[in-house]
Amino acid sequence: MALKLERIYTKPADLKGYRVLVDRLWPRGISKVNAHLDSWEKEMGPTTELRKWFNHDPEKFPEFKTRYLAEIKANPALPDFLTLLKTQLATQDVILLYGAKDETHNQAVILKAFLLTALADQVPAAQLQD
């Protein structure tokens, strides 16, 4: 199974897998019905302070990455989130959804890379394709 990234505004949406929104804020203009979510893990998004500081400025991305990784590692919701993903990856793809327009400089890119490393010793490599 694979861990994938998808912008929640993408059409057509990939509905073949476990869809989890990893933004702290609900994406504008998306209804809960049209989102086709299995889970909204808002605690895994960057804190409001960090998100506002970053403000989707690509020049701030390296520092944002450092700060966000520190938040992830200290996040009390992380163990449950890892367990959820490990369970889902055993049977299906997991699609991390985000709302940012920039598909390269956003928190979901950082979170996915972190998760691939964090789950590497818990999920067989054959089930954890990038």
Side-chain angles (χ1 to χ4, degrees):
M1 302 298 119
L3 187 60
K4 300 178 177 181
L5 282 181
E6 183 178 300
R7 189 164 181 261
I8 197 160
Y9 299 101
T10 300
K11 294 193 186 332
D14 183 354
L15 303 178
K16 295 178 183 164
Y18 187 83
R19 295 172 53 85
V20 56
L21 178 63
V22 292
D23 280 351
R24 197 168 286 264
L25 299 176
W26 188 262
R28 290 183 186 174
I30 297 287
S31 74
K32 298 206 182 205
V33 172
N34 290 338
H36 302 286
L37 288 186
D38 294 298
S39 180
W40 180 17
E41 301 295 326
K42 55 184 156 190
E43 314 81 36
M44 294 310 302
T47 60
T48 301
E49 297 77 22
L50 181 57
R51 183 180 49 77
K52 286 182 176 179
W53 171 84
F54 175 48
N55 198 29
H56 300 286
D57 180 350
E59 291 190 16
K60 290 182 177 178
F61 190 72
E63 178 65 19
F64 173 73
K65 180 179 180 180
T66 299
R67 292 183 187 189
Y68 182 46
L69 284 171
E71 285 187 358
I72 293 170
K73 292 172 187 171
N75 191 331
L78 180 61
D80 288 343
F81 185 60
L82 290 172
T83 299
L84 170 71
L85 295 185
K86 187 169 74 169
T87 302
Q88 295 305 321
L89 282 165
T91 60
Q92 62 187 329
D93 292 343
V94 171
I95 304 157
L96 302 177
L97 299 162
Y98 63 93
K101 288 180 185 174
D102 187 332
E103 296 184 17
T104 306
H105 304 99
N106 66 67
Q107 90 282 356
V109 170
I110 298 166
L111 182 59
K112 179 184 176 189
F114 173 84
L115 293 170
L116 287 171
T117 301
L119 293 170
D121 63 344
Q122 300 177 39
V123 176
Q127 290 183 349
L128 196 59
Q129 303 164 11
D130 191 355

